[in-house]
């Protein structure tokens, strides 16, 4: 297809099954560089599964996924090559509890990119400053608030200097007062031009930050539209119904 | 307005202390009384036997026969060399002393808080020390050979226990990882290995290693070496299950976060999964070590004179035939085992505290 290297993620004819359960049905989605795509939809619609296919945390059975020009395939090294370009932030933070915030951030640069320790630490501090918690660098995750933990997780992903960031409901496990600080960090990240795929129910974030919104239901992409159109003039009845429930 | 009186600060007197701690409820009071009875029935007579009525001086059994209601400590005092060295050549015992001193120094350095360079010392203890200890104990490189048949007492016990402990931890880790592997062959072999060793009693394994193997295979293996291998394999199977328990407690998200960052299988295991899993299983790992240390006494059944073997040999010796020799021997050996196991247990508790202090959730 296009293959001109202009797109960050290309997904063509993606199908995935969990045993007999058809979880992703014929997904086609192209994300341009520097584009910000928000994915929403009811629980169980396959949003997490879709973005987890992009960095091969989930294997898929049919279709093509090309990330920054690298096709995800069984070939040795391909998965690692893709993961080197893709950072991920999880709903449950998944920080390493036995390492300090700083160590969480330096681990991958040191061992995947073979960076010297001092350089990795300088880099990690730079990103911890970017997410506004340099003073927490030497604390363990258990000593941080949820919002702080999620910001460390964002910094940790950024220290690998990925070209694409995947977010799977990054604020869903947070108390309301902490949601804001994490969303602000994400807005700032968007302003740097990072390609972002964000699964979220934060419609305010979607409205202001997203270039396009993808609505999924029952494993299908039902609708893709710019926020303006998505919120004011949704085409599908299922989208309307979903928006009706979520926006009230 | 009423004036507030400052609260009275009273140190609790002995009566208050008793009431608060020992007799706070009828059940508590009952348990206290019961415990006192136990002390009276068991501890007091033991104390009487081991200390008050015991024979302390003298060099022969006559001294003990004179005090027939007490422990026969001269038996231990006269034979303390055997309890430590077995029948190791007299002139060569400095080599055992040196090895034991090295082991003690290394362990103390590693376990006492506040000492520097623990990593370096640990590395030396795991690499250079075993080689040096081997040469010192066995001989070679200019040192006279001391056949393992002459080893005995504490050195046999310690050699079997330390080798078992040091070998079973890495083997157990590999087996535990193997059992959780997605590669069917690796998984199958690990399961078969683990279940085989867990299914047979150590004593039969030792017997096979000592007698059957040479008989069937026609090769003469050093009996101590055979026993060491048997103990290491046997305990690694148990260790594997303990560590597997720890591995299972690590949430899936930890694996996923590691994978998403591009860490490979071994990197995520070494840096992320194992440190957490080992910490979680630390109490059980040390429990296994303690079990292993005590199980080493089984080598006395295949003809080694370990601590227990020496005690048994002594009781059979006509020169020390007294009513209390056997009891004293077992009490002494029991006390030595207890001291070693209790130290391990305390150290593990301390370590748990240290490890938990940083990352309280
Ligand atoms: N490992 C798995 N094995 C079997 N079924 C799974 C697995 N993971 C997810 N599913 C199923 O696949 C469907 C899609 O799951 P997914 O987690 O992608 O949904 P989601 O849109 O992210 O939902 P939510 O908003 O609740 O996070 C669900 O029905 C889920 O039960
Ligand atoms: Mg989800």
């Amino acid at each position: 297809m296009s293959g001109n290297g202009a797109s960050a993620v290309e997904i063509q004819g993606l199908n995935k099954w969990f045993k007999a359960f058809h979880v992703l049905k014929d997904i086609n989605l192209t994300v341009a560089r520097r584009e910000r795509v928000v994915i929403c939809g009811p629980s169980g619609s396959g949003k997490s599964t879709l973005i987890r296919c992009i960095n091969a945390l989930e294997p898929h059975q049919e279709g093509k996924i090309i990330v920054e020009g690298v096709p995800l395939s069984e070939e040795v090294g391909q998965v690692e090559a893709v993961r080197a370009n893709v950072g991920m932030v999880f709903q449950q933070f998944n920080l390493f509890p036995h390492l300090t915030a700083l160590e969480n951030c330096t681990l991958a640069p040191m061992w995947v990119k073979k960076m010297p320790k001092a350089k990795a630490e300088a880099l990690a501090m730079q990103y911890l400053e970017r997410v506004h918690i340099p003073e927490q660098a030497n604390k363990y995750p258990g000593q941080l608030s949820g919002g702080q933990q999620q910001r460390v997780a964002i910094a940790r992903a950024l220290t690998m200097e990925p070209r694409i960031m995947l977010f799977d409901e990054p604020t869903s496990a947070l108390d309301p007062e902490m949601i804001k600080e994490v969303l602000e960090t994400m807005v700032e990240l968007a302003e740097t031009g990072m390609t972002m795929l964000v699964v979220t129910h934060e419609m305010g974030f979607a409205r202001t930050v997203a270039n396009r919104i993808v609505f999924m239901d029952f494993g299908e992409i039902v609708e893709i539209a710019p926020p303006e159109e998505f919120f004011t003039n949704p085409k599908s009845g299922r989208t309307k119904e979903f928006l009706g429930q979520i926006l009230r | 307005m009423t004036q507030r009186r400052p609260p009275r600060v009273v140190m609790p007197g002995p009566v208050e202390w008793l009431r608060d701690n020992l007799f706070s409820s009828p059940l508590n009071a009952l348990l206290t009384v019961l415990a006192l009875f136990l002390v009276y029935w068991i501890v007091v007579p033991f104390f009487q036997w081991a200390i008050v009525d015991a024979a302390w001086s003298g060099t022969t059994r006559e001294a003990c026969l004179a005090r027939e209601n007490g422990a026969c400590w001269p038996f231990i005092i006269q034979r303390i060399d055997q309890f430590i060295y077995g029948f190791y050549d007299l002139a060569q015992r400095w080599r055992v002393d040196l090895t034991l001193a090295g082991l003690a120094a290394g362990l103390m350095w590693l376990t006492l808080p506040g000492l520097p360079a623990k990593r370096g010392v640990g590395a030396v203890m795991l690499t250079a020390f075993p080689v040096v200890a081997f040469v010192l104990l066995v001989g070679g490189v200019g040192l006279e050979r001391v056949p393992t048949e002459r080893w005995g007492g504490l050195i046999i016990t310690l050699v079997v226990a330390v080798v078992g402990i040091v070998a079973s931890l890495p083997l157990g880790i590999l087996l535990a990882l193997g059992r959780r592997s997605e590669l069917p062959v690796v998984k199958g072999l690990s399961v078969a290995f683990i279940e085989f060793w867990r299914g047979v009693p150590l004593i039969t394994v030792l017997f096979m290693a000592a007698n059957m193997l040479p008989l069937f295979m026609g090769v003469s293996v050093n009996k101590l070496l055979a026993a060491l291998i048997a103990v290491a394999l046997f305990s690694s199977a148990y260790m594997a299950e303990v560590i597997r328990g720890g591995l299972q407690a690590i949430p899936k998200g930890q694996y996923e976060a590691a994978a998403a960052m591009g860490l490979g299988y071994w990197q995520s295991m070494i840096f992320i999964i194992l440190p957490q899993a080992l910490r979680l299983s630390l109490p059980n790992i040390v429990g296994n070590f303690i079990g292993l240390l005590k199980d080493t006494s089984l080598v006395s059944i295949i003809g080694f004179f370990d601590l227990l073997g020496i005690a048994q040999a002594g009781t059979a010796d006509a020169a020390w035939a007294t009513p209390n020799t056997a009891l004293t021997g077992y009490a002494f050996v029991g006390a030595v085992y207890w001291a070693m196991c209790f130290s391990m247990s305390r150290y593990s508790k301390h370590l748990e505290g240290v490890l938990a202090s940083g990352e309280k959730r």
Side-chain angles (χ1 to χ4, degrees), chain A residues 16-19 21-24 39-52 58 91 168-169 172 199 201 216 219, chain B residues 252:
Chain A
K16 176 174 172 64
W17 289 263
F18 282 121
K19 302 256 165 65
F21 176 54
H22 199 174
V23 56
L24 293 178
I39 302 168
C40 61
S43 178
S45 56
K47 309 176 297 288
S48 298
T49 309
L50 173 59
I51 66 164
R52 289 158 59 86
E58 294 286 356
Q91 180 175 354
D168 190 0
E169 304 203 30
S172 299
V199 176
H201 293 126
M216 289 183 72
Chain B
K252 205 162 138 252

Side-chain angles (χ1 to χ4, degrees), chain B residues 9-348:
Chain B
V9 182
V10 202
M11 288 299 287
V15 178
E16 281 87 357
W17 185 89
L18 279 176
R19 196 190 52 214
D20 291 350
N21 290 287
L22 299 180
F23 298 95
S24 58
S25 70
L27 179 67
N28 215 342
L30 184 73
L31 288 175
T32 302
V33 171
L34 228 83
L36 283 175
F37 259 106
L38 271 181
V39 168
Y40 181 75
W41 284 115
I42 296 171
V43 180
V44 171
F46 182 79
F47 180 77
Q48 187 86 16
W49 174 83
I51 313 277
V52 180
D53 291 343
W56 286 97
S57 55
T59 50
T60 57
R61 76 187 190 116
E62 272 68 38
C64 297
L65 287 173
R67 310 207 53 148
E68 59 178 7
N69 291 324
C72 177
W73 295 119
F75 165 63
I76 305 293
I77 298 165
Q78 289 300 310
R79 295 197 163 211
I80 192 70
D81 280 6
Q82 268 191 29
F83 276 106
I84 298 174
Y85 307 97
F87 310 101
Y88 207 90
D89 302 19
L90 263 180
Q92 306 294 331
R93 288 189 178 173
W94 61 271
R95 286 154 52 178
V96 177
D97 296 339
L98 207 58
T99 310
L100 290 180
L103 181 68
L107 286 180
M108 261 154 71
W109 195 290
L110 289 174
T111 50
L112 290 180
L115 287 172
K118 288 206 195 279
R119 242 168 233 235
V121 174
V124 169
M125 288 307 286
L126 285 176
T127 54
F129 179 76
V131 177
V132 173
F134 178 85
V135 172
L136 274 175
L137 291 178
V138 177
V141 201
L143 289 173
E144 192 184 311
R145 284 204 168 266
V146 180
T148 51
E149 287 75 35
R150 271 187 242 151
W151 300 16
L154 190 64
I155 32 166
I156 282 281
T157 298
L158 283 180
V159 164
V160 178
V162 170
V163 169
I165 284 173
V166 170
S168 67
L169 190 59
L171 274 177
I173 290 174
L174 289 178
L175 285 168
L177 292 178
R179 190 165 192 165
R180 288 168 58 87
S181 168
E182 283 166 11
L183 309 171
V185 177
V186 174
K187 187 184 167 114
L189 286 177
S190 307
V191 172
F193 183 95
I194 293 169
E195 293 309 333
F196 171 78
W197 291 102
R198 289 196 340 139
V200 286
L202 179 57
I203 186 70
T204 50
V205 175
L206 286 170
F207 239 90
M208 297 281 261
N211 305 312
M212 303 292 235
L213 276 189
L215 202 68
F216 290 160
M217 301 174 73
V219 284
S220 76
V221 218
N222 178 304
K223 211 160 112 181
L224 180 60
L225 183 64
L228 285 178
I229 293 173
V231 167
L233 296 181
F234 183 84
S235 53
S236 67
Y238 281 88
M239 197 58 77
E241 288 301 278
V242 161
I243 292 167
R244 188 165 70 102
L247 287 171
Q248 272 167 346
I250 308 298
K252 205 162 138 252
Q254 295 285 306
Y255 293 88
E256 291 182 347
M261 288 159 65
L263 292 172
Y265 174 81
W266 287 108
Q267 286 175 333
S268 22
M269 287 304 148
I270 292 169
F271 298 121
I272 315 288
I273 307 300
L274 282 173
Q276 297 182 62
L278 291 178
R279 205 204 105 184
L280 282 174
S281 20
L282 182 70
N284 292 329
I285 290 176
V286 175
N288 244 16
F289 286 169
I290 289 174
L292 171 59
L293 176 62
K294 292 191 290 189
D295 281 353
T296 60
S297 57
L298 287 174
V299 299
S300 63
I301 296 177
I302 56 166
F304 284 107
F305 290 96
D306 72 322
L307 271 177
L308 189 66
I310 294 285
Q312 280 168 333
T315 62
D317 184 350
W320 282 98
T322 85
N324 286 297
T325 307
L327 271 181
T328 309
Y330 289 126
F332 173 70
V333 170
V336 174
Y337 272 109
W338 183 84
M340 294 192 285
C341 295
F342 185 68
S343 324
M344 277 206 264
S345 169
R346 293 316 300 176
Y347 180 62
S348 131

Side-chain angles (χ1 to χ4, degrees), chain A residues 11-66:
Chain A
I11 300 173
Q12 295 162 13
L14 172 66
N15 277 287
K16 176 174 172 64
W17 289 263
F18 282 121
K19 302 256 165 65
F21 176 54
H22 199 174
V23 56
L24 293 178
K25 300 170 188 160
D26 203 26
I27 303 285
N28 291 291
L29 176 68
T30 303
V31 180
R33 294 226 169 98
R34 305 172 74 87
E35 192 181 15
R36 295 165 314 259
V37 172
V38 162
I39 302 168
C40 61
S43 178
S45 56
K47 309 176 297 288
S48 298
T49 309
L50 173 59
I51 66 164
R52 289 158 59 86
C53 281
I54 294 174
N55 63 352
L57 282 187
E58 294 286 356
H60 62 275
Q61 284 81 35
E62 271 179 21
K64 262 209 274 188
I65 301 178
I66 303 167

Side-chain angles (χ1 to χ4, degrees), chain A residues 119-132:
Chain A
K119 204 175 155 207
E121 281 180 352
L123 184 75
M125 280 315 292
Q126 183 188 320
Y127 284 106
L128 285 172
E129 266 156 39
R130 173 96 77 83
V131 299
H132 310 299

